Amino acid sequence: MSTDPTTAPAGSDGVAGHPVAETVRLRRLGIDTYQEPVIFMPADCAVCRSEGWAAQSRVRITHGDHVIIATLNVVTGDLLADGEAGLSDVAWRMLAARDGDQLVLDPPDPLVSLRAVRAKVYGRRFATDDLRAVVQDIAAGRYSTIELAAFVTASAARGLDLAETTDLTRAMLEAGAQLTWERAPVVDKHCVGGLPGNRTTMIVVPIVAACGLLMPKTSSRAITSPAGTADAMETVAPVTLDLQHMRRVVEQEGACVVWGGSVNLSPADDLIIRVERPLDIDSEAQLVASVLSKKAAAGSTHVVIDIPVGPTAKVRAADAARRLSASLAEVGRAIGLVVQVVLSDGRQPVGRGVGPALEARDVLAVLRGEAEAPPDLRDRALTLAAALLEIGAAAPPGSGREMAERCLVQGGAWRKFQAICEAQGGMREPPRAVLTQPVLSVRPGRIVGIDNRRLARVAKLAGAPASPAAGLEMHAVIGQRVAIGEPLYTVHSQTPGELQYALAYVRRNRDIHILEEFS
Amino acid sequence: MSTDPTTAPAGSDGVAGHPVAETVRLRRLGIDTYQEPVIFMPADCAVCRSEGWAAQSRVRITHGDHVIIATLNVVTGDLLADGEAGLSDVAWRMLAARDGDQLVLDPPDPLVSLRAVRAKVYGRRFATDDLRAVVQDIAAGRYSTIELAAFVTASAARGLDLAETTDLTRAMLEAGAQLTWERAPVVDKHCVGGLPGNRTTMIVVPIVAACGLLMPKTSSRAITSPAGTADAMETVAPVTLDLQHMRRVVEQEGACVVWGGSVNLSPADDLIIRVERPLDIDSEAQLVASVLSKKAAAGSTHVVIDIPVGPTAKVRAADAARRLSASLAEVGRAIGLVVQVVLSDGRQPVGRGVGPALEARDVLAVLRGEAEAPPDLRDRALTLAAALLEIGAAAPPGSGREMAERCLVQGGAWRKFQAICEAQGGMREPPRAVLTQPVLSVRPGRIVGIDNRRLARVAKLAGAPASPAAGLEMHAVIGQRVAIGEPLYTVHSQTPGELQYALAYVRRNRDIHILEEFS
């Protein structure tokens, strides 16, 4: 007899008891959905039928200690048999799965934190606990793409005030790994993106490390740009280091330049950026939280932030830059970071190269003190190094620039850079592309503007960053006069197809360089 | 020699000319991603390398006259060879593809209409042209899931005024097929969802058709509910009719009850609902545009809208219902529809059955005039039929109810229903479930409330709507007194597993029926 009066007549234990968890056998499919966890199951499988699951259903998957939520794609072909399931590559990694493993599936609990997102849509502020819950759910992969996009859009449409931005920053910081270092200060720099070739990090790090400051730098790879610092650095030394190796490099040399992707700092940030970027919604709060949570998680205490300002840079006007500076400084203060902002010229690419190897060549020329080293890259790097030396108290106020320049001229920075590369696994020379083709001016004039965004697109069509040697070599800067047929830049590529794509794009976009007629 | 001075030295035509379109050979994979078009390509394929495409890239696919934009999933396993590509089922259908076909791939143009969505995020009104462009892009499948979610969220967060709502409605209407009929008025009804068992359409349609009005009814299947009208109707007659067949039925009988999914009315609506529903964001503008665009596209001239109001219905309070009524009437007027709203009791399920066949049984009992026919379902159907007869001018004001009741009592409605079913392909009896189990009250008391949402969940766990016979049979209504052990409802199911799931959920949710102690 059933002892539970809600069901009668008495059912068997199987029927009246709690549901038996559903299990499926895992088969490796090898499908990369980027960061969206997806589970693939056959259309007529018993589990889907009994759960009422269909394509786009959300499914909780348990595998040992790992629990994730994935979106269901239903396999109507013969890729999978009944009782089998496949996973997208990211879900496979998150679950530490192996072929043939058993997975336990059940319906996910409702996402309580989504209520706060919904309330934000209708204008309610996020409380501290709301943002902690939202960010923890995002970091754990519990938000679907749709839910993430709603969070990003609602935050931008309703805005986050400074207290909310601070709460968001702290929540993002706390949702991932947090590094600690034996000595202080720990300095860091960040550039608010949008400017091709602005590869100052690889010069700033050896300068400030040679001058005695600790600078454990984690950099990103390109997402939509032709090169990230990690991509450029990788053309001269390994950058995919585990935390132990990174620590050894920093203990030995006082600094490193590694790829941040392997150390799990502020993991919610990468997931938010995944939906934010295609929307191209510039939410100041998300930008501040993204930058500062990563810096704080890396154990930094003093941070210099470079904001290039220009019509085709990420920040387009001085007043927007000032507002952003104020938010960065204030939220930094609230979470215990000393933040200094440096506004810089964001009208045109920095240095000559655009693309991983071409940018690394510029960096090496500056470090080696070569005569043809790009003066703008050198100057920007010195400005940022000076700011770091001063806020890190390695140089008295007003003397940072002199100290940085001396370190560069006397070779200290170049020796430190080589030592860092050796400690990271060995230094090498950046590769050279097999195909090059100059792009010539179709008319005479004075260059009065350059569209950074479309220029970046040319470099990407040429193969950057996947092809490290691909990209652009700039020959002309704003203010310069060019004659008809004079080269504006040279496209570098490793395959004829990529070169062809880049040049076809150039042909359709003749106004990347804006020329003013000679008067 | 190249004649184009932007590239030098003169390249071959292959390099200097426009890019040659990339082609791939299609292989059927059979993966259902619901409504998101996805293209699967091997990780190391030449096209991806030369385009710089990676997982989540957007790709334009051309196949004959069909052009869609799909999201790239990269196959890292051995499902596909270089030069091959797979498609999700929806992309396959949109492209009318066959195994082995050649597809042409290139990067999509930037979505210009997204600028208006971005501007809405920052508070700018949508202009008429903005909404037309957004909706056309959505209907053509050019919006990604992320972009759709941003449109829905921004519209809810910033709100759409009446003019914007009217523009959205008109844009949605114009983006799909539009039916026209030989005579007027053409009447229609709609129920703003959320109330299990509210299957009045199958009674209203034969009444008003028997009384001489034209009512070409297209109904939806369940998306998150245990049954849609199309699901319930399908247990007694075929509902998947093509447009020609639907027209024949309407010409012959003056009415039909068919599934709207095969006639492409307001196609953007289904895509918007796909992202709106999981977010559970109630945007009044989206609701108005969704309802009225479908009615107008179906060729209706006079529409009665039933809004059930109750704490667990979609519309929870009288003032929200009044605001919604005003918007519906005003936007209806602007696009040339006569709209009348009927507010009804939304506190508990209508009739006895919840689930396709169980709801159809209630309908048949009312039409056949059986003694045990649910009086509430009968009464609601008569109210709506009366309103339609009056706004359609088939009955003088104040006499619609009497005309509707006479038609029902004298058997005219039942004969018309049978004739419609025969014309749609033949009438049948709804199926009965093989397993049933009553759920008993765990304590004595008077029922003061019922949670419609969780009750619907029980019916779905029992197998509805995929299993047409599955669902619930209600035994107790609000206001009724029940003793301990007295049945509240019976669960109907086709498999022991589904029955077990439903009962386990009941056990964890003992407060679906809210009881007040006897005083």
Side-chain angles (χ1 to χ4, degrees):
Chain A
M1 285 286 289
S2 169
T3 55
D4 187 322
T6 55
T7 58
S12 72
D13 275 329
V15 171
H18 281 281
V20 178
E22 304 280 3
T23 65
V24 290
R25 197 176 56 259
L26 193 52
R27 255 198 54 200
R28 175 101 194 168
L29 286 179
I31 294 179
D32 177 6
T33 56
Y34 195 46
Q35 287 174 346
E36 177 154 34
V38 172
I39 181 166
F40 298 87
M41 294 175 70
D44 51 358
C45 78
V47 181
C48 292
R49 274 209 314 278
S50 78
E51 292 284 358
W53 286 335
Q56 214 200 15
S57 289
R58 300 281 287 166
V59 178
R60 181 165 64 186
I61 311 175
T62 307
H63 178 248
D65 295 340
H66 303 281
V67 182
I68 66 168
I69 299 181
T71 298
L72 176 61
N73 280 2
V74 168
V75 173
T76 52
D78 54 4
L79 296 181
L80 295 169
D82 191 14
E84 285 186 336
L87 293 174
S88 67
D89 289 356
V90 66
W92 191 275
R93 283 193 300 275
M94 289 166 82
L95 289 170
R98 285 164 317 177
D99 225 7
D101 280 358
Q102 294 284 324
L103 301 180
V104 178
L105 309 182
D106 57 1
D109 298 323
L111 270 179
V112 176
S113 71
L114 259 187
R115 283 188 209 147
V117 175
R118 242 176 256 126
K120 187 73 188 175
V121 169
Y122 298 110
R124 203 186 71 189
R125 284 189 75 254
F126 283 122
T128 302
D129 287 347
D130 291 338
L131 283 166
R132 190 174 297 132
V134 168
V135 168
Q136 279 174 355
D137 281 339
I138 291 174
R142 286 191 280 263
Y143 268 47
S144 70
T145 300
I146 292 170
E147 291 156 351
L148 269 169
F151 171 63
V152 166
T153 308
S155 299
R158 290 292 188 172
L160 302 192
D161 62 27
L162 268 177
E164 288 175 296
T165 306
T166 304
D167 286 339
L168 176 63
T169 307
R170 203 174 273 129
M172 284 170 65
L173 154 68
E174 288 168 358
Q178 296 181 56
L179 308 186
T180 52
W181 303 96
E182 299 279 302
R183 60 188 171 103
V186 180
V187 300
D188 208 339
K189 73 163 277 288
H190 183 83
C191 176
V192 174
L195 202 54
N198 196 13
R199 214 48 64 209
T200 53
T201 295
M202 293 164 70
I203 303 167
V204 170
V205 167
I207 292 175
V208 304
C211 295
L213 291 177
L214 203 65
M215 190 160 179
K217 186 87 193 83
T218 60
S219 293
S220 53
R221 294 188 186 278
I223 303 182
T224 61
S225 69
T229 291
D231 300 310
M233 184 71 184
E234 198 169 36
T235 68
V236 293
V239 296
T240 306
L241 273 56
D242 62 22
L243 194 53
Q244 287 72 16
H245 189 174
M246 175 185 167
R247 281 197 174 280
R248 276 205 311 278
V249 176
V250 174
E251 275 157 25
Q252 186 184 315
E253 302 299 338
C256 66
V257 182
V258 303
W259 176 49
S262 43
V263 284
N264 197 36
L265 304 179
S266 191
D269 188 43
D270 297 341
L271 297 165
I272 291 170
I273 286 175
R274 173 173 81 88
V275 304
E276 204 175 21
R277 209 168 291 254
L279 291 175
D280 199 14
I281 291 176
D282 285 310
S283 155
E284 188 176 290
Q286 295 284 3
L287 175 60
V288 169
S290 168
V291 171
L292 296 187
S293 66
K294 289 232 154 137
K295 299 300 156 201
S300 308
T301 58
H302 295 69
V303 182
V304 168
I305 295 172
D306 175 16
I307 305 183
V309 183
T312 54
K314 188 174 184 87
V315 178
R316 304 190 186 196
D319 58 335
R322 274 191 297 273
R323 272 202 313 277
L324 180 57
S325 302
S327 298
L328 285 163
E330 210 157 328
V331 174
R333 191 158 41 240
I335 66 164
L337 279 182
V338 177
V339 173
Q340 187 185 326
V341 173
V342 174
L343 302 189
S344 63
D345 178 357
R347 291 177 302 151
Q348 60 185 331
V350 178
R352 301 216 174 81
V354 175
L358 290 158
E359 295 180 27
R361 289 190 181 282
D362 284 349
V363 165
L364 295 180
V366 170
L367 287 170
R368 285 166 175 157
E370 292 170 4
E372 69 273 24
D376 56 341
L377 177 65
R378 182 178 192 273
D379 181 62
R380 283 166 175 269
L382 286 173
T383 302
L384 295 171
L388 281 169
L389 290 171
E390 293 181 17
I391 66 164
S399 67
R401 173 85 186 198
E402 196 196 319
M403 182 185 282
E405 190 143 20
R406 198 175 336 117
C407 176
L408 188 60
V409 171
Q410 295 183 346
W414 172 229
R415 285 189 296 275
K416 177 54 81 178
F417 185 77
Q418 291 171 289
I420 290 169
C421 288
E422 289 306 325
Q424 288 189 193
M427 184 154 177
R428 54 199 175 213
E429 278 294 307
R432 284 186 189 280
V434 296
L435 301 171
T436 62
Q437 181 116 326
V439 172
L440 309 183
S441 182
V442 286
R443 56 171 174 276
R446 196 172 62 87
I447 300 172
V448 295
I450 297 178
D451 186 332
N452 294 325
R453 292 168 193 233
R454 283 187 289 164
L455 199 64
R457 177 102 180 104
V458 178
K460 284 158 61 185
L461 287 170
S467 233
L472 313 178
E473 195 185 342
M474 308 298 297
H475 305 304
V477 297
I478 290 178
Q480 190 171 323
R481 287 165 179 252
V482 291
I484 193 163
E486 194 173 326
L488 298 170
Y489 53 94
T490 297
V491 181
H492 289 236
S493 202
Q494 294 287 55
T495 70
E498 287 166 317
L499 184 58
Q500 167 191 354
Y501 266 98
L503 294 176
Y505 183 82
V506 168
R507 213 173 304 273
R508 295 193 303 273
N509 291 272
R510 295 186 188 272
D511 54 346
I512 291 176
H513 285 67
I514 301 160
L515 297 186
E516 199 178 69
E517 299 282 318
F518 291 119
S519 56
Chain B
M1 285 285 287
S2 168
T3 55
D4 186 322
T6 55
T7 57
S12 73
D13 274 330
V15 171
H18 280 281
V20 178
E22 305 279 3
T23 64
V24 291
R25 198 175 55 260
L26 192 53
R27 254 199 52 201
R28 174 103 193 165
L29 286 180
I31 294 180
D32 177 7
T33 56
Y34 195 46
Q35 288 174 343
E36 176 154 34
V38 173
I39 181 166
F40 298 86
M41 294 174 70
D44 50 358
C45 76
V47 181
C48 292
R49 274 209 315 277
S50 78
E51 292 286 356
W53 285 336
Q56 214 199 14
S57 289
R58 300 280 288 165
V59 177
R60 180 165 63 186
I61 311 175
T62 306
H63 178 249
D65 295 339
H66 303 281
V67 182
I68 65 167
I69 299 180
T71 298
L72 176 61
N73 279 1
V74 169
V75 173
T76 54
D78 54 4
L79 296 182
L80 295 169
D82 191 14
E84 286 186 335
L87 293 174
S88 67
D89 289 356
V90 67
W92 191 276
R93 283 193 300 274
M94 289 165 82
L95 290 170
R98 284 163 319 177
D99 225 6
D101 280 358
Q102 293 284 326
L103 301 180
V104 179
L105 308 182
D106 59 359
D109 297 323
L111 270 179
V112 176
S113 72
L114 259 186
R115 283 188 207 149
V117 175
R118 242 176 256 126
K120 186 74 189 176
V121 168
Y122 298 110
R124 201 185 72 188
R125 285 188 75 255
F126 283 122
T128 302
D129 286 348
D130 291 337
L131 283 166
R132 189 174 299 131
V134 167
V135 168
Q136 278 174 354
D137 280 339
I138 291 173
R142 287 191 280 265
Y143 268 46
S144 70
T145 301
I146 292 171
E147 292 157 350
L148 269 170
F151 170 63
V152 166
T153 308
S155 299
R158 290 291 188 172
L160 302 191
D161 62 27
L162 267 177
E164 287 174 296
T165 306
T166 303
D167 286 339
L168 176 64
T169 307
R170 204 174 273 128
M172 285 170 64
L173 154 67
E174 288 168 357
Q178 296 182 57
L179 308 186
T180 52
W181 303 97
E182 299 278 300
R183 59 189 172 102
V186 180
V187 300
D188 207 339
K189 75 164 276 288
H190 182 83
C191 177
V192 174
L195 201 55
N198 196 12
R199 213 49 62 208
T200 52
T201 295
M202 292 164 71
I203 304 167
V204 170
V205 168
I207 291 175
V208 303
C211 295
L213 291 178
L214 202 65
M215 189 163 181
K217 185 88 193 82
T218 60
S219 293
S220 53
R221 293 189 187 278
I223 303 181
T224 61
S225 70
T229 291
D231 301 308
M233 184 70 184
E234 197 169 36
T235 69
V236 294
V239 295
T240 307
L241 273 56
D242 62 22
L243 194 53
Q244 286 72 15
H245 189 174
M246 175 185 167
R247 281 195 174 282
R248 277 204 310 278
V249 176
V250 175
E251 276 158 24
Q252 185 184 317
E253 301 299 338
C256 66
V257 182
V258 304
W259 176 48
S262 43
V263 284
N264 196 37
L265 305 178
S266 191
D269 187 43
D270 297 340
L271 297 164
I272 291 170
I273 287 175
R274 173 173 80 89
V275 304
E276 205 175 20
R277 208 167 293 253
L279 291 175
D280 200 13
I281 292 177
D282 284 312
S283 155
E284 188 176 290
Q286 295 285 1
L287 175 60
V288 169
S290 168
V291 171
L292 295 187
S293 67
K294 287 230 155 140
K295 299 300 156 201
S300 307
T301 58
H302 294 70
V303 182
V304 168
I305 295 173
D306 176 15
I307 305 183
V309 183
T312 54
K314 188 172 184 90
V315 177
R316 303 190 188 196
D319 58 334
R322 273 191 298 272
R323 271 202 314 277
L324 179 57
S325 302
S327 298
L328 284 164
E330 212 158 325
V331 173
R333 189 157 41 240
I335 66 165
L337 279 182
V338 177
V339 174
Q340 186 183 327
V341 174
V342 174
L343 302 189
S344 64
D345 179 356
R347 291 177 302 151
Q348 59 186 331
V350 178
R352 301 214 176 81
V354 176
L358 290 158
E359 295 179 27
R361 288 188 183 284
D362 284 349
V363 165
L364 295 180
V366 171
L367 287 170
R368 286 165 173 157
E370 291 171 6
E372 68 275 22
D376 56 341
L377 176 64
R378 182 178 191 274
D379 181 62
R380 283 166 175 269
L382 287 173
T383 301
L384 296 171
L388 281 169
L389 291 172
E390 292 180 17
I391 65 166
S399 68
R401 175 87 186 197
E402 196 194 319
M403 181 185 282
E405 191 145 18
R406 199 178 334 118
C407 175
L408 187 60
V409 171
Q410 296 182 346
W414 172 228
R415 285 189 297 276
K416 177 55 79 177
F417 185 77
Q418 290 170 288
I420 291 169
C421 288
E422 290 305 325
Q424 288 188 195
M427 186 156 177
R428 53 201 176 212
E429 277 296 305
R432 285 187 189 280
V434 295
L435 302 171
T436 62
Q437 183 116 327
V439 172
L440 310 183
S441 182
V442 287
R443 56 173 174 275
R446 196 172 63 89
I447 300 172
V448 294
I450 297 178
D451 186 332
N452 293 325
R453 291 167 194 233
R454 284 187 289 163
L455 200 65
R457 178 102 180 105
V458 178
K460 283 158 60 185
L461 287 169
S467 235
L472 313 179
E473 195 185 341
M474 308 299 296
H475 304 304
V477 297
I478 290 178
Q480 190 171 325
R481 288 167 179 249
V482 291
I484 191 164
E486 196 173 325
L488 297 170
Y489 53 94
T490 297
V491 181
H492 289 235
S493 201
Q494 295 287 55
T495 70
E498 287 165 316
L499 184 58
Q500 167 192 352
Y501 266 97
L503 294 176
Y505 182 83
V506 168
R507 216 173 303 273
R508 295 193 305 274
N509 292 273
R510 295 184 188 274
D511 53 346
I512 291 176
H513 285 68
I514 302 159
L515 296 186
E516 199 177 68
E517 298 283 316
F518 291 119
S519 55

